[in-house]
Structures are given as C-alpha cells and as structure tokens.
Amino acid sequence: MAYRLRGTLDVGALHRALTSLVTRNTALRTTFRSAEGTPYGVVAPAGEVDLEIVDLADADLDATLRARSEAPFDLAAGPLYRFSLLRLSAEDHVLVLVFHHINTDGWSSALINREISGAYNAFVQGTQPALPELEATYEDHVRAQREQHGGDSWEQQLKFWKGKLAGLPVVEMPADRARPATPTQNGETLTFDFPAELLHGARALAQQEGASLFMVLTTALNVVVGRYTGQEDIPLGIPMLGRTEPELEDVVGLFINMLVLRTDLSGDPTFAELIERVADANMDVYDNQDVPFDQIVSHVQPAREAGRNPLFQIGTQLLGSGTGGSDLGLTGLTDEQLDVAVPRSRYDLSLTFLESADRLRFVAEYTTDLFDGIRIEAMARHIQNVLAAAVEDAEQPISKLAMLGEDERRLLLEAGRGPDFDFSHDPVHTTVLQVAERTPHAVAAVCRGVEMTYGELARRSGKLARHLRARGIRPGQVVGIVMDRDLDALVAMLGVMRAGGAYAVMDPSHPAARIDYMLQDTAAPVVITRADVAGGLPTSEDRKVVLIDADWAAIEAESDTEPLEELADRETLAYVLYTSGSTGRPKGVMIEHRSLRVFIEAYRHTFGEFTPEDRLLQQPSLIFDMSQGEIYTALITGATLVLVSPEDASSPEALGTLIREQRVTYVGLSPTLLSLLDGGPYPHLKYIMGGAEVLPAELVNKWNIPGRKFVNLYGPTEAAIACTEYLCEHIEWRSAPPIGRPEYGRLHYVVDRHGNLAPVGVPGELLIGGEDGLARGYLNLPELTDEKFVPNPFEPTGRVYRTGDLVRWTPDYQVDFIGRIDNQVKLRGLRIELGEIESALVAHPQIRMALVLLKADPQGEKQLVGYYTVLGDQAPTLAELRRHLGESMPEYMVPTAWVKLDEFPLTLAKKIDRHALPEPSYGADGTEGRAYVAPATPTEERVAEAFATVLKADQISADASFFELGGNSLQAMRAVSRINKAFGVKINVRMLYGGATVGGVAEAIDELLAAKAGRD
C-alpha cells in the first residue's frame, strides 16, 4: 500500500505509530522456518521498527514504488514487512507499507490503517493510543483450526466439497498467447472506473433481488465469462474472510480462505434468476468455509497442470472502503491512496471490485503469459455493459444482455463487410466464350504436353453441348462427369454448362457404390466418361453414357450451323459438388452461376490481377471446389491452365519439374503438398495460394520469398469456394497467418452460441452472408438446407451460412481460424464428416461402437484414428475393416490408425471421454498376427526401409502392402519420392495401390533397373 501525504507530517509520531502497530500484532512479527520438511512459525520479540526515509524526485516515484513492491522477503530471516517514507518535498511525502501476504489479508489492511491513524493522531496530540483490547490473537485462530481438523464438521465440509467439485471444468478464457510450458507468473494490473450511476443502479438491483452487491457483480462477471468461453459451468475463486468468530474481526493476520463459487448458466436464465443461483451457491460456500483450500485440494485430488491453479483460474472479490485499506486519516494531512502496479499474477485473472460511496473501481491483475492489456480493458467494458443492461432490465435472459457497446458493434459489422464491386451477371461460360472469340489461338490449357486453344475449347464444348441437348438434357438437370483431370474434362464441364445443365464431377477411383449413390442422388440422365472407365461404372436403364473419347466422332458430327441458344442465367445451377455427410452419405452442394461468378471475379484480383500471360497450375482434384475456382478464374481472364495429370500429381518430383518446365506463374497447393515440394527454384512463379487447412508458419516462410505473393485462402464449399483471403507479409512468421478479411461481396459475422456478435479476440462461429456468394443449398436435403442456411440476423433480407468453423477477430480485424465446432474435420484439404465414417463402421456386423478422431502422430502429421468395440468374441482384422470402409468411401476417409477397446471411457455425464482415449500404437509391422517375412533381396530391404521411415514402423514384412500398413495417399507420395531417389527410377503412387506388397514393388523396381541398364 502507498499513500501520498500532503501537509506537515510528524515523522517521529509516524515512526512510533508503526512500531505500535507491529508491537500490538504478533502476526506481523512472525517468520517461518522448517524442520525436517515441516514448516513452523516464530514470533519475534517486540521492538522499534525500521522506517527508511528517502529523498526522491516526483519523476522517479512510480519506478521506486514498483521496485519496493517487487523486492522479495526472506521468510525465515524476516521481518515480513517493509516501511518507507519517500520525501518529495517538505510537505509532500509518500508512505509505503509492504507486507508479505502470508501474514495479512484485505481485511487486515483496514485494521492496519485504523491502528496507524489511531496511534499517529494520539502521538501528535501528546497522548497514548486508546486502541481496544484484543479479545483473541492469531495464534488462537490457528489453535482452533487445528482442533477442528478431523472433527465431524470438518469431515462434513470435505464431503460437501468432494461432491460440489466433482467434474469441475477448466475455464478456458480466450487468450493472446498459448499457455507456456513453464509459467513465469509475470503480470500487470489494469484499473477501470465504472460510472457512479451504474454503482447506484447495481446497489438498487441487489436490494431488489435480496442479494449483496458482490452477488450482482459476480453474476455479471459470470455472464461475460460464459460468453467468452461458451461454457455453462463456471468456477470462480472467491475469498472467505475466515473470521467466523466476532472476536477475530480486530485481529491482523491471514484468515482469508479462497474457495470455489461454481455457477450454473444452463437454460439461459434471466439475470435475476442467475443472481438467485449465485446467491444459493454463495451461501453453500459460506456454510462450508472452514476447511482450508489446501485441504480441499488434497481431498478432491483434481488433475494438476503446471501453471494452473488446481480448482479455478479466475479469482474475484469485492472490497469496500472498510476492507480495502483505502482510508488512512492522519491528523493535519490529506492522504491519497496510490495505485501500485505489481508485475505478478497469482492466477490467470484476479479481479477486484473496489466500492466507495460514489465509485466502483475494477482492478484486474492478469498474467502477461496469456493476456494483453487491450483484452483485459475490453473485458472491463463488457462487464460494465452487461451490468448496465441488467440494471435496466434484470428479467432479460442472459443471452440477450448487450455485452458490446454500439461503437464496438459497428466496427465489427464494418470489418465483416467485404468491398462492393461491379461484375458481369452473365453465366460464367459466356465470358469464357467471349475470351475465345477475342483470342481464339491463345492456349487455354495444357496437359501431358498437349495444348488446347481457347478456340478449340469453345468449338469442342459447343459440339458436346449440342450432343447433350440431343440426348435430352434440359436446363437445371445434372450431368455426371466421371473422369480424371485432362483436356477432355474441361470440354465436358464447359459443354454441360453450354447445354444449360449442371455437372457433378465424380472421381473414377472412388468406390462404385459411392459413385452409384451420387448418380442416383443427382438423377443424372447422362454420364460423361471415358471408355476405360465406363466398364466399372454402375449401370441404369434410365441413364445414358457418353464416352468423350470413343463417341467423339458422333459428337463431332453434331451440326453447328445454327447458333446455340443460351438457356442459362445467373441463377442457373452450374455444378453440384459432393462433400462428406454426417448421415453416412455424401451431400451435394448446389452452386449457381452467380455464386461461382462472385468468387472468380474476386479471385482474379487477389494477387493484383491475372493476365493472359499467366499460367495457372491446376492441381486440386476436380471433386475439390478450389479446382472449379482456379479453372474458371483462368478461363475468364484468358490465362493458360496447366493441368496436372494424375501421374504427375502423385510425385512431388514430377510436380516440381512440371512447375518449372511449364513456366507456371501461379500455384494453389494444400499445406501438405507445400511441405513435400521444394520451395524453389521456380523462375516464373509469382503467386502462391495456401489453403484448405491451417497453414503452418514454416511453410509461409519457406515459400513467401521476395518477388512472390503468398495468399492464405479460406472458404467452405457452401460459400462457393472461398470467401476470405490474407496476403502474407514478407516477415518471419512464428504462427499461422490469419485467414484475412471478407472478399468482394461477402458478409462475415463471428457469433457466440446464442447468435450475439463476439468481440475481438473471443472465439465464435463464422457466419457467411452475401446472397450472391452462397450455395443454393443441399441437393434433396431441404431440412439440412434450412438448418445450415438461415435468415441473416443482422440484415433485413438475405441468408447466412453457418459454417461450424470456430474463428475470432484479431485486434486489426482479420479473421483468425481456430478449428471446427462440430464433428467435421479437414484432412489434406478434404472435408470429412467423422460421423459418416462412424456410421459406416458400425454397419459392420462385428462392430458394436465406433468413434473416429483426427489426431497427430508423434511427428505431428494428422491422421484419422478409428476407435471401436466389437460384438462377440471374434474381432475383425484391420484389413477387413479397411476393406469394409473402402467399399463405400474413398481412401482418404479410411482411418490409418486403429485402437480396439474393451469399453469406451465415459465422463460423469455418461458421454465418451475423448481425453481418456488411448493413443494408437505406432511402429506396427502390418502382419496382424501373421508370421513376419524378412525382405529377401537388397531391393526389398530398401523398399521396406522407405515404407518403415514414412510410416514410422519398427519393421516391415515383405508380404505387407503399403495401404494395409495404414498408409495414406500423401504418405505414399513420400515413400515413392524416397524410392525414386534411392534407385534413380520413376515410379508413381499408383504402383502402391491394389495391394502391392514390398516384394511386388521391389520386383517392379528391379525390372525398371534392368530395362534402364539395357538402354544404357
């Protein structure tokens, strides 16, 4: 404590008053020692205390106060107090009183001030202090507490706390930094004054509800913490005075006992109802306050984590003028208590409300390991706003209380509004045809070294469009395209659009059952494919098949003497793209021309502006929405598409060579591919897009070199490809860059679980608006469409898409991606509903329960982990489980790690305890009980070594296949890359498919080496 004293100070009287204080109170003369690990207190004899007098300039005051408050005490040597008088002038002094908290508490501060003023005033007047005789001492309190230990009351209170704290959650307050492994306890203090009228209103509300002011303030704090965290079970640390006997009220010492006030916010109660809940919980704490905090912790035995208080992370208290030590009252002097910022924090947050007659002050002590001051200042404003709204109407549900001020709300809405811009409202393909008309000889695309001009693309797509119309395609119908990426795929896509239809691209490598479901779901009357794929497709009498290669002569014969009538408009369906669905079936997202147009018109300007001289790599699979964005962005600007063939896509070396040889200026790659490829040299590369999943800082640093522009892109399929972008600065990134601000024509809102705007730095769900940029909805799923596409709550018209993505605004109003709210994940850029995999797993006759999680392996690589229990005594093999899933879903959705459980661990609420699930076992050899077969040749040994390195396995059996071992496609690319470098040959990932064993791969490599030797 520090007090500025103005007037004529009697230094001698002050010194005697301080000596009287310490003489009277044994707690202040107590030091602490230890014998054989057991601490004990030693009370020193009374004597004259030291009062250090220092002459000081006013300018040095703050630094001096801080230094004196930070200076440590020696608990054994003592004394555990420090008195200083800083002389600024003859009639201007600062009295500094520093006590170790082991001997005093907040109530003691008021007693200390009362005794100093009483003694000083008496000494100044030449009399002896007339202080009341103490009826008890601190030692009496300690003895009484020891006697209570183990008694019936003690045991009953421990039983209460055992039940009260069962399943106690950790309050995860949004922070500015991750919690360090070794906390520093560094802290800062922020002071914020509430308006006097708010204090009067809060007092009136407390009286109206039959509660204390502390209960009203704590209720407001609970509302804010609940909004910040999304949690409904909020434990706060609150101090109990510990002076349960009247005779202890005049005794200086550490009586305070920090206990847990646990508040239930569930059911969205009114503020008045929540006050009642807080009051009831507070009374329970009051009735069970005798057991010390450390004894409760020992009895409850909560999970401990370094740097966290074991039971709560936020402490709060209300101190009045009688308990905060704010009044000194020395005769002939005016005194002012000074704020002394202590750069330490006992908890994550320690929040004190200081009440005087006409002032309510909020003092926040916070750890700088986690928080910046701007966040704590915003929190103070939010508590003030909630309190003001409750004072105005305490019968509002807590979800409706206005936490944000009008200015803050306006800034958030402005930040979430993308720039307005003018763009063509014509169907997308008409702009491509205009480019073809202007520059028919310009190269539209190249694949496997074969080029196709814009004129030829227009001619061939027109022929196909006429052929499709002749086959009965009508506006709005969906045509299936089952093809790998090549020049014919572009012709097919554009031809369907020109026919007036929409297309749904399907990967020919996906299971036939999945393709059949999508063809039936779209009711596709026509499927466009190639002759080598058609034989594996499901057949239907109601479905025609167009072979774009074998039937091309018939397609070419279509007459084009008459202009092709335009049947599409901006609201015509352009394509249907299937994403993973939680019901066990994929769901089709319907994208109209206007939605596709919004993205491509914005994306053409993302890096400045694409020009006909640009050459854009098109690498993502055609079933991935970014492929549609890149294709049409290039085609409406007259640029050249460099299509990556499936064989090049499976080899990092081949992909890097393609970028160089084709003079690529733009690449859009997932973080996984960016990590596999070398960052250069690529002499012509200017633009890089990283997206589809969280972008690690090291990848930005690797690729974002001078002369390049690197953009972090984000967007769900339902918002037509992407809707935010962030141009990464050329700096040393230490964390993932944000996903940026809304693109042209987009609206973004970050909301809490009740739909309120979330403030800066507080996580919430991202809602995406801007009607032109949203999907029409889900094909044949009206209920899901209504659930996910809802009326815009912040505009009179329009819709928003509920992304299920957890994000937050940064202080400079960029959107920062955090993760998923629901059971949906992204793996290698592909969106996966874990529920779809789980539904498929439990359909296996031997599986009782299943859970799938996305987890990182020891090297940090994300993978799907399948947890399961079995029916009966016989468990299916992992190969059987993989085969079962592979019949209905693509390879990337099949877990690569598995854990068989006897039972799933459950929480107290009888839900699966995901935190208690064991980690999968790494280092398997893939034999699953079979005899291990050692590699027999040097080639087999090196192939097995490559597999083992990539899969982190101890050893690999020669008869095990890569995907049987749990490998995924990207790990396969790494294995192929290692094999190619080791042997100097060129194999691709497809060699690993189809159950190829180590021995089989080695045999193929030996054949390649022999052929190479023969040529040499």
Side-chain angles (χ1 to χ4, degrees):
M1 299 181 289
Y3 299 90
R4 191 154 191 169
L5 309 175
R6 290 184 172 90
T8 303
L9 174 67
D10 187 330
V11 176
L14 177 62
H15 192 181
R16 293 173 64 195
L18 294 172
T19 297
S20 171
L21 168 71
V22 175
T23 299
R24 177 178 164 85
N25 294 283
T26 56
L28 299 180
R29 290 186 275 119
T30 302
T31 55
F32 297 88
R33 300 174 188 174
S34 175
E36 298 181 353
T38 301
Y40 61 94
V42 177
V43 179
E48 185 179 273
V49 301
D50 292 332
L51 174 62
E52 182 183 15
I53 302 174
V54 180
D55 289 321
L56 189 71
D58 203 340
D60 299 329
L61 180 58
D62 288 343
T64 301
L65 291 178
R66 189 159 187 159
R68 289 177 181 272
S69 67
E70 292 178 25
F73 287 102
D74 185 328
L75 288 176
L80 302 185
Y81 58 82
R82 196 159 42 239
F83 303 141
S84 306
L85 186 64
L86 310 180
R87 185 157 47 202
L88 306 178
S89 69
E91 296 199 349
D92 190 0
H93 298 79
V94 174
L95 175 62
V96 183
L97 309 174
V98 183
F99 301 94
H100 196 292
H101 195 42
I102 199 171
N103 283 339
T104 63
D105 54 21
W107 184 276
S108 297
S109 298
L111 297 176
I112 287 169
N113 285 3
R114 187 181 70 186
E115 292 195 15
I116 291 174
S117 62
Y120 176 85
N121 294 340
F123 291 140
V124 166
Q125 295 170 9
T127 63
Q128 291 298 312
L131 297 173
E133 191 71 27
L134 293 176
E135 299 180 26
T137 65
Y138 190 71
E139 290 83 351
D140 295 332
H141 165 69
V142 172
R143 279 191 290 269
Q145 197 170 65
R146 285 177 178 170
E147 291 171 1
Q148 285 182 328
H149 191 284
D152 290 343
S153 174
W154 188 281
E155 292 302 322
Q156 285 298 316
Q157 291 190 30
L158 282 175
K159 183 178 180 181
F160 165 82
W161 286 114
K162 183 83 170 181
K164 187 70 174 178
L165 301 180
L168 191 73
V170 173
V171 175
E172 295 287 359
M173 288 289 284
D176 299 293
R177 285 167 291 282
R179 187 179 297 273
T182 305
T184 66
Q185 293 191 323
N186 291 336
E188 292 289 347
T189 301
L190 177 135
T191 301
F192 186 93
D193 286 335
F194 291 175
E197 58 270 19
L198 183 57
L199 170 60
H200 300 320
R203 285 171 175 160
L205 177 59
Q207 185 174 10
Q208 171 187 313
E209 298 299 327
S212 67
L213 178 62
F214 171 73
M215 295 172 185
V216 171
L217 296 175
T218 302
T219 301
L221 173 60
N222 270 301
V223 171
V224 171
V225 173
R227 292 271 192 95
Y228 276 20
T229 62
Q231 296 175 231
E232 295 183 329
D233 186 355
I234 310 294
L236 300 175
I238 64 170
M240 290 287 106
L241 287 179
R243 301 167 191 269
T244 53
E245 303 299 330
E247 59 267 22
L248 297 176
E249 292 181 2
D250 290 329
V251 178
V252 171
L254 179 61
F255 292 84
I256 198 170
N257 190 21
M258 293 298 295
L259 297 174
V260 178
L261 178 70
R262 190 173 184 178
T263 305
D264 175 16
L265 275 61
S266 65
D268 196 20
T270 67
F271 193 84
E273 290 169 343
L274 191 57
I275 291 176
E276 185 176 356
R277 294 186 189 182
V278 170
D280 289 344
N282 201 84
M283 291 301 102
D284 285 343
V285 174
Y286 186 85
D287 291 340
N288 294 275
Q289 65 171 300
D290 296 326
V291 181
F293 179 80
D294 64 300
Q295 295 294 315
I296 294 173
V297 172
S298 177
H299 188 70
V300 174
Q301 293 187 331
R304 303 296 293 267
E305 181 182 347
R308 283 190 195 265
N309 185 284
L311 297 178
F312 59 86
Q313 290 75 50
I314 305 172
T316 188
Q317 64 179 335
L318 171 66
L319 297 179
S321 56
T323 56
S326 57
D327 299 320
L328 202 54
L330 304 184
T331 297
L333 299 166
T334 60
D335 63 80
E336 170 195 2
Q337 186 171 14
L338 303 179
D339 292 326
V340 180
V342 179
R344 292 187 302 278
S345 181
R346 291 164 289 176
Y347 318 121
D348 289 357
L349 285 169
S350 181
L351 310 176
T352 299
F353 296 93
L354 296 174
E355 177 196 12
S356 60
D358 292 305
R359 187 183 73 181
L360 181 61
R361 173 166 286 182
F362 175 79
V363 179
E365 177 188 292
Y366 60 94
T367 172
T368 51
D369 284 348
L370 300 177
F371 306 116
D372 290 332
I374 190 171
R375 181 183 293 274
I376 306 305
E377 185 178 353
M379 183 183 188
R381 289 197 307 272
H382 296 152
I383 295 172
Q384 175 181 302
N385 293 340
V386 165
L387 186 59
V391 165
E392 184 175 336
D393 181 7
E395 296 304 320
Q396 295 181 79
I398 58 174
S399 66
K400 303 299 182 184
L401 295 167
M403 189 176 78
L404 306 183
E406 283 303 315
D407 287 345
E408 188 175 7
R409 179 183 173 85
R410 175 180 53 79
L411 287 172
L412 290 170
L413 292 174
E414 288 176 357
R417 183 177 294 276
D420 293 327
F421 74 122
D422 294 325
F423 58 92
S424 171
H425 295 292
D426 295 333
V428 170
H429 58 269
T430 62
T431 305
V432 179
L433 297 178
Q434 291 166 9
V435 173
E437 187 175 349
R438 290 195 307 268
T439 57
H441 302 297
V443 177
V446 57
C447 185
R448 297 185 177 95
V450 179
E451 295 180 341
M452 183 168 60
T453 65
Y454 273 92
E456 183 66 5
L457 175 60
R459 190 190 71 78
R460 296 185 68 189
S461 63
K463 289 284 188 179
L464 180 60
R466 294 172 191 276
H467 189 73
L468 291 173
R469 286 190 184 179
R471 294 296 182 273
I473 290 298
R474 298 291 178 261
Q477 288 185 310
V478 180
V479 175
I481 298 177
V482 187
M483 299 174 64
D484 276 328
R485 175 179 39 237
D486 60 13
L487 298 178
D488 285 342
L490 292 186
V491 173
M493 291 158 59
L494 202 62
V496 172
M497 280 187 170
R498 294 183 66 183
Y503 57 81
V505 180
M506 302 166 200
D507 192 326
S509 69
H510 283 186
R514 190 178 185 87
I515 294 174
D516 187 42
Y517 170 78
M518 292 187 282
L519 289 174
Q520 292 187 44
D521 191 44
T522 57
V526 174
V527 175
I528 303 173
T529 186
R530 303 181 71 88
D532 61 348
V533 174
L537 295 181
T539 59
S540 170
E541 293 181 358
D542 300 327
R543 188 182 305 132
K544 300 180 179 69
V545 177
V546 173
L547 303 179
I548 201 166
D549 49 358
D551 294 344
W552 186 254
I555 299 170
E556 186 72 46
E558 296 286 350
S559 173
D560 55 4
T561 56
E562 295 294 327
L564 191 64
E565 180 186 1
E566 182 55 66
L567 300 180
D569 60 29
R570 66 191 301 266
E571 295 185 4
T572 297
L573 196 62
Y575 61 83
V576 176
L577 194 145
Y578 278 84
T579 67
S580 179
S582 59
T583 61
R585 296 285 194 179
K587 55 183 185 287
V589 182
M590 299 182 287
I591 301 296
E592 299 172 349
H593 278 267
R594 61 173 177 167
S595 305
L596 176 58
R597 173 74 75 170
V598 165
F599 172 76
I600 62 179
E601 292 287 356
Y603 200 52
R604 69 190 297 183
H605 298 292
T606 290
F607 296 94
E609 183 162 3
F610 288 122
T611 70
E613 285 70 42
D614 280 306
R615 299 173 67 83
L616 281 68
L617 188 77
Q618 204 288 290
Q619 184 277 330
S621 167
L622 294 180
I623 65 169
F624 183 38
D625 57 355
M626 192 61 207
S627 65
Q628 309 301 313
E630 290 175 336
I631 287 170
Y632 291 109
T633 298
L635 294 181
I636 67 169
T637 56
T640 298
L641 279 165
V642 178
L643 304 181
V644 181
S645 66
E647 56 270 24
D648 285 341
S650 63
S651 168
E653 292 82 8
L655 194 56
T657 300
L658 183 69
I659 293 171
R660 278 187 287 271
E661 291 181 350
Q662 286 293 329
R663 308 181 310 284
V664 167
T665 61
Y666 160 90
V667 298
L669 302 173
S670 70
T672 306
L673 272 177
L674 289 172
S675 69
L676 287 173
L677 286 171
D678 292 333
Y682 306 111
H684 299 88
L685 185 60
K686 298 185 292 183
Y687 312 126
I688 303 157
M689 183 280 291
E693 52 189 292
V694 175
L695 188 61
E698 59 268 21
L699 292 184
V700 183
N701 297 331
K702 171 183 174 181
W703 286 86
N704 194 27
I705 63 177
R708 295 179 183 174
K709 292 183 178 180
F710 193 114
V711 166
N712 191 18
L713 200 69
Y714 159 88
T717 303
E718 290 84 350
I721 304 166
C723 52
T724 73
E725 58 185 46
Y726 183 82
L727 181 62
C728 299
E729 299 91 340
H730 288 92
I731 60 175
E732 185 71 19
W733 287 89
R734 299 185 180 279
S735 59
I739 58 176
R741 290 185 175 174
E743 290 185 329
Y744 293 108
R746 309 287 190 156
L747 298 174
H748 286 177
Y749 311 99
V750 182
V751 300
D752 64 21
R753 59 196 175 93
H754 297 293
N756 301 299
L757 289 176
V760 168
V762 173
E765 182 181 9
L766 178 62
L767 308 183
I768 300 172
E771 189 62 29
D772 282 346
L774 295 182
R776 182 185 292 177
Y778 299 109
L779 182 64
N780 301 326
L781 295 171
E783 292 183 358
L784 183 61
T785 297
D786 291 342
E787 175 189 335
K788 301 295 286 185
F789 294 87
V790 299
N792 188 329
F794 305 102
E795 296 282 343
T797 60
R799 302 176 301 158
V800 292
Y801 169 65
R802 299 184 58 183
T803 66
D805 284 336
L806 196 65
V807 302
R808 63 186 166 202
W809 289 109
T810 64
D812 58 345
Y813 292 97
Q814 304 286 344
V815 179
D816 194 20
F817 182 83
I818 301 172
R820 289 291 301 173
I821 296 172
D822 55 19
N823 203 30
Q824 191 182 91
V825 299
K826 272 197 172 183
L827 178 64
R828 306 194 297 277
L830 296 164
R831 199 167 79 180
I832 298 171
E833 287 276 6
L834 299 179
E836 181 177 355
I837 308 173
E838 293 163 358
S839 297
L841 271 175
V842 296
H844 190 286
Q846 292 172 277
I847 297 298
R848 180 160 58 94
M849 285 183 63
L851 178 73
V852 179
L853 298 179
L854 183 69
K855 306 190 78 170
D857 67 13
Q859 282 67 40
E861 181 174 324
K862 290 182 179 179
Q863 62 175 349
L864 292 175
V865 180
Y867 294 87
Y868 63 97
T869 57
V870 300
L871 286 169
D873 298 329
Q874 188 67 34
T877 67
L878 299 188
E880 289 171 343
L881 290 179
R882 294 189 189 104
R883 188 162 50 249
H884 169 74
L885 292 180
E887 291 172 356
S888 60
M889 56 189 56
E891 169 272 328
Y892 67 82
M893 293 180 66
V894 178
T896 53
W898 298 84
V899 180
K900 177 179 171 293
L901 301 170
D902 294 329
E903 296 290 343
F904 277 94
L906 302 178
T907 65
L908 291 173
K910 303 304 179 185
K911 296 180 180 179
I912 293 177
D913 187 350
R914 299 179 179 222
H915 297 293
L917 289 168
E919 291 294 320
S921 176
Y922 298 99
D925 61 10
T927 60
E928 268 196 288
R930 303 194 309 268
Y932 169 73
V933 178
T937 70
T939 306
E940 286 187 5
E941 289 177 355
R942 294 170 76 181
V943 171
E945 181 182 350
F947 282 17
T949 300
V950 171
L951 297 174
K952 289 88 178 180
D954 298 329
Q955 62 181 8
I956 299 293
S957 180
D959 64 350
S961 70
F962 188 83
F963 290 99
E964 181 188 38
L965 294 167
N968 59 51
S969 58
L970 283 174
Q971 287 174 323
M973 289 176 64
R974 291 179 181 153
V976 165
S977 180
R978 289 176 179 272
I979 290 169
N980 287 344
K981 288 180 180 178
F983 292 100
V985 296
K986 289 286 185 181
I987 69 168
N988 60 47
V989 169
R990 295 194 175 197
M991 183 177 288
L992 303 188
Y993 283 87
T997 64
V998 169
V1001 173
E1003 184 178 350
I1005 291 171
D1006 285 337
E1007 291 175 359
L1008 288 172
L1009 290 173
K1012 181 180 179 183
R1015 288 193 301 271
D1016 294 343

